[in-house]
Coordinates of all heavy atoms in Angstrom, one line a residue:
M1 N 120.9 100.4 85.8 CA 120.5 100.6 87.2 C 118.9 100.4 87.3 O 118.2 100.9 86.4 CB 120.9 102.0 87.6 CG 120.5 102.3 89.0 SD 120.9 104.0 89.5 CE 122.0 103.7 90.8
R2 N 118.6 99.7 88.3 CA 117.2 99.4 88.5 C 116.5 100.6 89.2 O 117.0 101.2 90.1 CB 117.1 98.2 89.5 CG 115.9 97.4 89.5 CD 116.1 96.3 90.4 NE 115.6 95.1 89.8 CZ 115.5 94.0 90.3 NH1 116.0 93.8 91.5 NH2 115.0 93.0 89.7
P3 N 115.2 100.9 88.8 CA 114.5 102.0 89.4 C 114.2 101.7 90.9 O 114.1 100.5 91.3 CB 113.2 102.1 88.7 CG 113.3 101.2 87.5 CD 114.5 100.3 87.7
A4 N 114.2 102.7 91.7 CA 113.9 102.6 93.1 C 112.5 102.0 93.3 O 111.6 102.2 92.5 CB 114.0 103.9 93.9
A5 N 112.3 101.3 94.4 CA 111.0 100.7 94.8 C 110.0 101.8 95.1 O 110.4 102.8 95.7 CB 111.1 99.8 95.9
R6 N 108.8 101.7 94.6 CA 107.7 102.7 94.9 C 106.6 102.0 95.7 O 106.4 100.8 95.6 CB 107.1 103.2 93.6 CG 108.0 103.9 92.7 CD 107.3 104.4 91.5 NE 106.8 103.3 90.7 CZ 105.5 103.1 90.2 NH1 104.7 104.1 90.4 NH2 105.2 102.1 89.6
R7 N 106.0 102.7 96.6 CA 104.8 102.2 97.3 C 103.6 102.4 96.4 O 103.4 103.4 95.8 CB 104.6 102.9 98.6 CG 105.7 102.6 99.6 CD 105.4 102.9 101.0 NE 104.6 102.0 101.8 CZ 104.9 100.7 102.1 NH1 105.9 100.1 101.5 NH2 104.1 100.1 102.9
L8 N 102.8 101.3 96.3 CA 101.6 101.3 95.5 C 100.4 101.2 96.4 O 100.4 100.4 97.4 CB 101.5 100.2 94.5 CG 102.6 100.1 93.5 CD1 102.5 98.8 92.7 CD2 102.5 101.3 92.5
S9 N 99.3 101.9 96.1 CA 98.0 101.6 96.7 C 97.3 100.8 95.7 O 97.0 101.3 94.6 CB 97.3 102.9 97.0 OG 98.0 103.7 98.0
V10 N 97.0 99.6 96.1 CA 96.2 98.7 95.2 C 95.0 98.2 95.9 O 94.9 98.3 97.2 CB 97.1 97.5 94.8 CG1 98.3 97.9 93.9 CG2 97.5 96.6 95.9
V11 N 94.0 97.7 95.2 CA 92.8 97.2 95.8 C 92.7 95.7 95.4 O 92.8 95.4 94.2 CB 91.6 98.0 95.3 CG1 90.3 97.4 95.9 CG2 91.7 99.5 95.6
V12 N 92.7 94.9 96.4 CA 92.5 93.5 96.2 C 91.0 93.1 96.3 O 90.3 93.5 97.2 CB 93.3 92.6 97.2 CG1 93.0 91.2 97.0 CG2 94.8 92.9 97.1
V13 N 90.5 92.5 95.2 CA 89.1 92.1 95.2 C 89.0 90.6 95.4 O 89.6 89.9 94.6 CB 88.5 92.5 93.8 CG1 87.0 92.1 93.7 CG2 88.6 94.0 93.6
Q14 N 88.2 90.2 96.4 CA 88.0 88.8 96.5 C 86.7 88.5 95.7 O 85.7 89.1 95.9 CB 87.7 88.5 98.0 CG 88.9 88.6 98.9 CD 88.5 88.2 100.3 OE1 87.4 88.3 100.7 NE2 89.6 87.9 101.1
T15 N 86.8 87.5 94.9 CA 85.7 87.1 94.1 C 84.8 86.2 94.9 O 85.2 85.6 96.0 CB 86.1 86.4 92.8 OG1 87.0 85.3 93.2 CG2 86.9 87.3 91.9
L16 N 83.6 86.0 94.4 CA 82.6 85.1 95.2 C 83.1 83.7 95.1 O 83.5 83.2 94.1 CB 81.3 85.2 94.5 CG 80.5 86.6 94.7 CD1 79.3 86.6 93.9 CD2 80.3 86.8 96.2
S17 N 83.0 83.0 96.2 CA 83.2 81.6 96.3 C 82.4 81.1 97.5 O 81.8 81.9 98.2 CB 84.7 81.2 96.5 OG 85.1 81.4 97.8
S18 N 82.4 79.8 97.7 CA 81.6 79.3 98.8 C 82.3 79.7 100.2 O 81.6 79.7 101.2 CB 81.5 77.7 98.8 OG 82.8 77.2 98.8
L19 N 83.5 80.0 100.2 CA 84.2 80.4 101.4 C 84.4 81.9 101.6 O 84.5 82.3 102.7 CB 85.6 79.8 101.4 CG 85.7 78.2 101.4 CD1 87.2 77.8 101.3 CD2 85.1 77.7 102.6
L20 N 84.3 82.6 100.5 CA 84.6 84.1 100.6 C 83.4 84.8 100.2 O 82.7 84.5 99.2 CB 85.8 84.4 99.7 CG 87.1 83.8 100.0 CD1 88.1 84.2 98.9 CD2 87.6 84.2 101.3
N21 N 83.1 85.9 100.9 CA 82.1 86.9 100.4 C 82.9 87.9 99.5 O 84.1 88.1 99.7 CB 81.5 87.6 101.5 CG 80.7 86.7 102.4 OD1 80.0 85.8 101.9 ND2 80.7 87.0 103.7
A22 N 82.2 88.4 98.5 CA 82.8 89.4 97.7 C 83.2 90.6 98.5 O 82.4 91.1 99.3 CB 81.9 89.9 96.5
A23 N 84.4 91.0 98.4 CA 84.9 92.1 99.3 C 86.1 92.8 98.5 O 86.7 92.2 97.7 CB 85.4 91.6 100.6
T24 N 86.3 94.1 98.9 CA 87.5 94.8 98.4 C 88.3 95.2 99.6 O 87.7 95.6 100.6 CB 87.1 96.0 97.5 OG1 86.3 96.9 98.3 CG2 86.3 95.6 96.3
M25 N 89.6 95.2 99.4 CA 90.5 95.6 100.5 C 91.6 96.5 99.9 O 92.4 96.1 99.1 CB 91.2 94.4 101.2 CG 90.2 93.5 101.9 SD 90.8 91.8 101.8 CE 90.4 91.4 100.2
P26 N 91.7 97.8 100.4 CA 92.8 98.6 99.9 C 94.1 98.2 100.7 O 94.0 97.9 101.9 CB 92.4 100.0 100.3 CG 91.3 99.9 101.3 CD 90.7 98.5 101.2
L27 N 95.2 98.1 100.0 CA 96.5 97.8 100.6 C 97.5 98.7 100.1 O 97.4 99.2 98.9 CB 96.9 96.3 100.2 CG 96.0 95.2 100.7 CD1 96.5 93.9 100.0 CD2 96.2 95.1 102.2
E28 N 98.6 98.9 100.9 CA 99.8 99.5 100.4 C 100.9 98.5 100.4 O 101.2 97.9 101.4 CB 100.1 100.7 101.3 CG 99.4 102.0 101.0 CD 100.1 103.2 101.4 OE1 101.3 103.2 101.6 OE2 99.4 104.2 101.5
V29 N 101.5 98.4 99.2 CA 102.6 97.4 99.0 C 103.6 98.1 98.1 O 103.4 99.0 97.5 CB 102.1 96.1 98.3 CG1 101.1 95.3 99.2 CG2 101.4 96.4 97.0
K30 N 104.8 97.5 98.2 CA 105.9 98.0 97.3 C 105.7 97.4 95.9 O 105.3 96.2 95.8 CB 107.3 97.6 97.9 CG 107.6 98.4 99.1 CD 109.0 98.0 99.6 CE 109.3 98.8 100.9 NZ 110.6 98.4 101.4
D31 N 106.1 98.1 94.9 CA 105.9 97.6 93.5 C 106.9 96.5 93.2 O 106.7 95.7 92.3 CB 106.1 98.7 92.5 CG 107.4 99.3 92.4 OD1 108.2 99.2 93.4 OD2 107.7 100.1 91.4
V32 N 108.0 96.3 94.1 CA 108.9 95.2 93.9 C 108.5 94.0 94.7 O 109.2 93.0 94.6 CB 110.4 95.7 94.3 CG1 110.9 96.7 93.3 CG2 110.4 96.1 95.7
S33 N 107.4 94.1 95.4 CA 106.9 92.9 96.1 C 106.4 91.9 95.1 O 105.8 92.2 94.1 CB 105.7 93.3 97.0 OG 106.1 94.2 98.0
T34 N 106.6 90.6 95.5 CA 106.2 89.5 94.6 C 104.7 89.1 94.9 O 104.2 89.5 96.0 CB 107.1 88.3 94.7 OG1 106.9 87.7 96.0 CG2 108.5 88.6 94.4
V35 N 104.1 88.4 94.0 CA 102.8 87.9 94.3 C 102.8 87.0 95.5 O 101.9 87.0 96.3 CB 102.2 87.2 93.1 CG1 100.9 86.5 93.3 CG2 102.1 88.2 91.9
T36 N 103.8 86.2 95.7 CA 104.0 85.3 96.9 C 104.0 86.2 98.1 O 103.3 85.8 99.1 CB 105.3 84.5 96.8 OG1 105.2 83.7 95.6 CG2 105.5 83.6 98.0
E37 N 104.7 87.3 98.1 CA 104.8 88.2 99.3 C 103.4 88.8 99.6 O 103.0 88.9 100.7 CB 105.8 89.3 99.1 CG 107.2 88.7 99.1 CD 108.3 89.7 98.6 OE1 107.9 90.7 97.9 OE2 109.5 89.5 98.9
L38 N 102.7 89.2 98.5 CA 101.3 89.7 98.7 C 100.4 88.6 99.3 O 99.6 88.9 100.2 CB 100.8 90.1 97.3 CG 99.3 90.6 97.3 CD1 99.1 91.9 98.2 CD2 98.9 90.9 95.9
R39 N 100.5 87.4 98.8 CA 99.7 86.3 99.4 C 100.0 86.1 100.9 O 99.1 86.0 101.7 CB 100.0 85.0 98.6 CG 99.2 83.8 99.0 CD 99.7 82.5 98.4 NE 100.0 82.7 97.0 CZ 99.1 82.6 96.0 NH1 97.9 82.3 96.2 NH2 99.5 82.7 94.7
Q40 N 101.3 86.1 101.2 CA 101.7 86.0 102.6 C 101.1 87.1 103.5 O 100.7 86.9 104.6 CB 103.2 85.9 102.8 CG 103.8 84.6 102.2 CD 103.2 83.4 102.8 OE1 103.0 83.3 104.0 NE2 102.9 82.4 102.0
L41 N 101.2 88.3 103.0 CA 100.6 89.5 103.7 C 99.1 89.3 104.0 O 98.6 89.4 105.1 CB 100.8 90.8 102.9 CG 100.2 92.0 103.4 CD1 100.8 92.4 104.8 CD2 100.3 93.1 102.4
L42 N 98.4 88.8 102.9 CA 96.9 88.6 103.1 C 96.7 87.5 104.0 O 95.7 87.5 104.8 CB 96.3 88.4 101.7 CG 96.3 89.6 100.8 CD1 95.9 89.1 99.4 CD2 95.5 90.7 101.3
L43 N 97.5 86.4 104.0 CA 97.3 85.3 104.9 C 97.6 85.7 106.4 O 96.9 85.3 107.3 CB 98.2 84.1 104.5 CG 97.8 83.3 103.3 CD1 98.9 82.4 102.8 CD2 96.5 82.6 103.5
S44 N 98.7 86.5 106.5 CA 99.1 86.9 107.9 C 98.1 87.8 108.5 O 97.9 87.8 109.8 CB 100.5 87.6 107.9 OG 100.4 88.9 107.3
R45 N 97.3 88.5 107.7 CA 96.3 89.4 108.3 C 94.9 88.7 108.3 O 93.9 89.3 108.6 CB 96.1 90.7 107.4 CG 97.3 91.6 107.5 CD 97.1 92.8 106.7 NE 98.2 93.7 106.7 CZ 98.3 94.9 106.1 NH1 97.2 95.3 105.4 NH2 99.4 95.6 106.2
K46 N 95.0 87.4 108.0 CA 93.8 86.5 108.0 C 92.7 87.1 107.1 O 91.5 86.9 107.4 CB 93.3 86.4 109.5 CG 94.3 85.7 110.4 CD 93.7 85.3 111.7 CE 94.8 84.9 112.6 NZ 95.6 83.8 112.3
I47 N 93.1 87.6 106.0 CA 92.2 88.1 105.0 C 91.8 87.0 104.1 O 90.7 86.9 103.6 CB 92.8 89.3 104.2 CG1 93.0 90.5 105.2 CG2 91.9 89.7 103.0 CD1 93.7 91.7 104.6
L48 N 92.7 86.1 103.8 CA 92.5 84.9 103.0 C 92.6 83.6 103.8 O 93.5 83.5 104.6 CB 93.5 84.8 101.8 CG 93.4 85.8 100.7 CD1 94.5 85.6 99.7 CD2 92.0 85.7 100.0
P49 N 91.8 82.6 103.6 CA 92.0 81.3 104.2 C 93.3 80.7 103.6 O 93.8 81.2 102.6 CB 90.8 80.5 103.8 CG 89.8 81.5 103.3 CD 90.5 82.7 102.8
M50 N 93.7 79.6 104.1 CA 95.0 78.9 103.7 C 94.9 78.1 102.4 O 95.7 77.3 102.1 CB 95.4 78.0 104.8 CG 95.9 78.7 106.0 SD 97.4 79.7 105.7 CE 98.6 78.5 105.4
D51 N 93.9 78.4 101.6 CA 93.8 77.7 100.3 C 94.7 78.3 99.3 O 95.3 79.3 99.5 CB 92.3 77.8 99.8 CG 91.4 77.0 100.6 OD1 91.8 76.0 101.3 OD2 90.2 77.3 100.7
D52 N 94.8 77.7 98.1 CA 95.7 78.2 97.0 C 94.8 79.0 96.1 O 93.7 78.6 95.7 CB 96.2 77.0 96.3 CG 97.3 77.4 95.3 OD1 98.0 78.5 95.6 OD2 97.6 76.7 94.4
Y53 N 95.3 80.3 95.9 CA 94.5 81.2 95.0 C 95.4 81.7 93.9 O 96.6 81.8 94.0 CB 94.1 82.4 95.9 CG 93.2 82.1 97.0 CD1 93.6 81.9 98.3 CD2 91.8 81.9 96.7 CE1 92.8 81.6 99.3 CE2 90.9 81.6 97.7 CZ 91.4 81.4 99.0 OH 90.6 81.1 100.0
L54 N 94.7 82.0 92.8 CA 95.4 82.7 91.7 C 95.0 84.2 91.8 O 93.9 84.6 92.1 CB 94.8 82.2 90.4 CG 95.1 80.7 90.0 CD1 94.4 80.3 88.7 CD2 96.6 80.5 89.9
F55 N 96.0 85.0 91.6 CA 95.8 86.4 91.5 C 95.7 86.8 90.0 O 96.5 86.3 89.2 CB 96.9 87.2 92.2 CG 96.9 87.1 93.7 CD1 97.3 86.0 94.4 CD2 96.4 88.2 94.4 CE1 97.3 85.9 95.7 CE2 96.3 88.1 95.8 CZ 96.8 86.9 96.5
R56 N 94.8 87.8 89.7 CA 94.7 88.2 88.3 C 94.8 89.8 88.3 O 94.3 90.4 89.2 CB 93.4 87.8 87.8 CG 93.2 86.3 87.6 CD 91.9 86.0 86.9 NE 90.8 86.8 87.3 CZ 89.8 86.4 88.1 NH1 89.8 85.2 88.5 NH2 88.9 87.2 88.5
H57 N 95.4 90.3 87.3 CA 95.5 91.7 87.1 C 95.2 91.9 85.6 O 95.8 91.4 84.7 CB 97.0 92.2 87.4 CG 97.2 93.6 87.1 ND1 98.0 94.0 86.0 CD2 96.7 94.7 87.7 CE1 98.0 95.4 86.0 NE2 97.2 95.8 87.0
K58 N 94.2 92.7 85.4 CA 93.8 93.0 84.0 C 93.5 91.7 83.2 O 93.9 91.6 82.1 CB 94.8 93.9 83.3 CG 94.9 95.3 83.9 CD 95.8 96.2 83.2 CE 95.8 97.6 83.9 NZ 96.7 98.5 83.2
Q59 N 92.8 90.8 83.9 CA 92.4 89.5 83.3 C 93.5 88.6 83.0 O 93.4 87.6 82.3 CB 91.5 89.7 82.1 CG 90.3 90.5 82.4 CD 89.3 90.7 81.2 OE1 89.6 90.2 80.1 NE2 88.2 91.4 81.4
R60 N 94.7 88.9 83.5 CA 95.9 88.0 83.3 C 96.3 87.3 84.6 O 96.3 88.0 85.7 CB 97.1 88.7 82.7 CG 96.8 89.2 81.3 CD 98.1 89.8 80.8 NE 97.8 90.2 79.4 CZ 98.5 91.1 78.8 NH1 99.4 91.8 79.4 NH2 98.2 91.4 77.5
I61 N 96.5 86.0 84.6 CA 97.0 85.4 85.8 C 98.4 85.8 86.2 O 99.3 85.9 85.3 CB 96.9 83.8 85.6 CG1 95.4 83.4 85.4 CG2 97.5 83.1 86.8 CD1 95.3 82.0 85.1
M62 N 98.6 86.1 87.4 CA 99.9 86.6 87.9 C 100.7 85.5 88.4 O 100.3 84.5 89.0 CB 99.7 87.6 89.0 CG 98.8 88.8 88.6 SD 98.4 90.0 90.0 CE 100.0 90.8 90.1
R63 N 102.0 85.6 88.1 CA 103.0 84.5 88.5 C 103.5 84.8 89.9 O 103.9 85.9 90.2 CB 104.2 84.5 87.5 CG 103.7 84.1 86.1 CD 104.9 84.1 85.2 NE 104.5 83.8 83.8 CZ 105.3 83.7 82.8 NH1 106.6 83.8 83.0 NH2 104.9 83.5 81.6
D64 N 103.6 83.8 90.7 CA 103.9 83.9 92.1 C 105.3 84.6 92.4 O 105.4 85.4 93.3 CB 103.9 82.6 92.8 CG 102.5 82.1 93.1 OD1 101.6 82.9 93.0 OD2 102.3 80.9 93.4
N65 N 106.3 84.2 91.7 CA 107.6 84.7 92.0 C 108.0 86.0 91.2 O 109.2 86.3 91.2 CB 108.7 83.6 91.7 CG 108.4 82.5 92.7 OD1 108.2 82.7 93.9 ND2 108.5 81.2 92.2
Y66 N 107.1 86.6 90.6 CA 107.4 87.9 89.9 C 106.8 89.1 90.6 O 105.8 88.9 91.3 CB 106.8 87.8 88.5 CG 107.5 86.8 87.6 CD1 107.3 85.5 87.6 CD2 108.4 87.3 86.6 CE1 108.0 84.6 86.8 CE2 109.1 86.5 85.8 CZ 108.9 85.1 85.9 OH 109.6 84.2 85.1
S67 N 107.4 90.2 90.5 CA 107.0 91.4 91.2 C 105.7 92.0 90.6 O 105.4 91.8 89.5 CB 108.1 92.4 91.2 OG 108.2 93.0 89.9
L68 N 105.1 92.8 91.4 CA 103.9 93.6 90.9 C 104.4 94.5 89.8 O 103.6 94.7 88.8 CB 103.3 94.4 92.1 CG 102.8 93.5 93.3 CD1 102.3 94.4 94.4 CD2 101.8 92.5 92.8
R69 N 105.6 95.1 89.9 CA 106.1 95.9 88.8 C 106.2 95.1 87.5 O 105.8 95.6 86.5 CB 107.5 96.5 89.2 CG 108.1 97.4 88.1 CD 109.5 97.8 88.4 NE 109.6 98.6 89.6 CZ 110.7 98.9 90.2 NH1 111.9 98.5 89.8 NH2 110.7 99.7 91.3
W70 N 106.7 93.9 87.6 CA 106.8 93.1 86.4 C 105.5 92.8 85.7 O 105.4 92.8 84.5 CB 107.5 91.7 86.8 CG 107.8 90.9 85.6 CD1 109.0 90.9 84.9 CD2 106.9 89.9 85.0 NE1 108.9 89.9 83.9 CE2 107.6 89.3 83.9 CE3 105.7 89.4 85.3 CZ2 107.1 88.3 83.1 CZ3 105.1 88.4 84.5 CH2 105.8 87.9 83.4
H71 N 104.4 92.7 86.6 CA 103.1 92.5 86.1 C 102.4 93.8 85.6 O 101.3 93.7 85.0 CB 102.2 91.9 87.2 CG 102.5 90.4 87.4 ND1 102.2 89.4 86.6 CD2 103.2 89.8 88.5 CE1 102.6 88.2 87.1 NE2 103.2 88.5 88.2
G72 N 103.1 94.9 85.7 CA 102.5 96.2 85.3 C 101.5 96.8 86.2 O 100.7 97.6 85.8
V73 N 101.5 96.3 87.5 CA 100.5 96.9 88.4 C 100.9 98.3 88.8 O 102.1 98.6 89.1 CB 100.5 96.0 89.7 CG1 99.6 96.6 90.8 CG2 100.1 94.6 89.4
G74 N 100.0 99.2 88.7 CA 100.2 100.6 89.1 C 99.3 101.0 90.3 O 98.4 100.2 90.7
G75 N 99.5 102.2 90.8 CA 98.7 102.7 91.9 C 97.3 102.8 91.5 O 96.9 103.2 90.4
G76 N 96.4 102.3 92.4 CA 95.0 102.3 92.2 C 94.5 101.1 91.4 O 93.2 101.0 91.1
D77 N 95.3 100.2 90.9 CA 94.9 99.1 90.2 C 94.2 98.1 91.1 O 94.3 98.0 92.3 CB 96.1 98.4 89.5 CG 96.6 99.0 88.3 OD1 96.0 100.1 87.9 OD2 97.5 98.5 87.7
F78 N 93.4 97.3 90.4 CA 92.6 96.2 91.1 C 93.3 94.9 90.8 O 93.7 94.6 89.7 CB 91.2 96.1 90.6 CG 90.3 97.2 91.2 CD1 90.4 98.5 90.6 CD2 89.5 97.0 92.3 CE1 89.6 99.5 91.1 CE2 88.7 98.0 92.8 CZ 88.8 99.3 92.2
L79 N 93.4 94.0 91.9 CA 93.9 92.7 91.7 C 92.8 91.8 92.2 O 92.2 92.0 93.2 CB 95.1 92.4 92.6 CG 96.3 93.4 92.4 CD1 97.4 93.0 93.4 CD2 96.8 93.4 91.0
C80 N 92.5 90.7 91.4 CA 91.4 89.8 91.7 C 92.0 88.5 92.3 O 93.0 88.0 91.8 CB 90.5 89.5 90.5 SG 89.7 91.0 89.9
V81 N 91.3 88.0 93.3 CA 91.7 86.7 93.9 C 90.6 85.7 93.5 O 89.4 86.0 93.6 CB 91.8 86.8 95.4 CG1 92.1 85.5 96.0 CG2 92.8 87.9 95.8

């Protein structure tokens, strides 16, 4: 049996680039949400431009179709874009 979904408070950190200023954004997401769903959430809130970004957690590149739980993301963790 699969564990129930939990809500996580995570912080997304935008790294410096020519288009983005360094910023942090606290978000609440489900641990079963995929990286693709997180990306769509950030795009829908106009937090990220429509470019292609890699998400990193603990210096590891995150896979789009895998859940935050699969990546080992916990409450209070930082995700880098």
Side-chain angles (χ1 to χ4, degrees):
M1 182 184 238
R2 203 178 223 183
R6 296 179 300 133
R7 291 196 82 57
L8 298 174
S9 293
V10 297
V11 178
V12 175
V13 178
Q14 290 181 340
T15 57
L16 290 174
S17 77
S18 60
L19 297 175
L20 301 172
N21 294 323
T24 60
M25 294 150 282
L27 293 174
E28 276 205 21
V29 293
K30 292 182 181 176
D31 65 346
V32 294
S33 298
T34 65
V35 174
T36 299
E37 292 167 341
L38 176 61
R39 182 187 318 275
Q40 291 303 317
L41 173 67
L42 294 171
L43 287 170
S44 71
R45 292 185 181 179
K46 301 191 187 302
I47 294 171
L48 290 178
M50 290 295 292
D51 292 333
D52 193 24
Y53 297 97
L54 294 175
F55 286 79
R56 293 185 321 252
H57 176 251
K58 296 184 179 178
Q59 299 183 2
R60 292 186 176 155
I61 295 173
M62 300 175 76
R63 297 179 184 184
D64 285 343
N65 294 318
Y66 288 79
S67 71
L68 299 178
R69 180 188 294 170
W70 186 89
H71 288 287
V73 176
D77 281 0
F78 284 79
L79 306 178
C80 294
V81 178

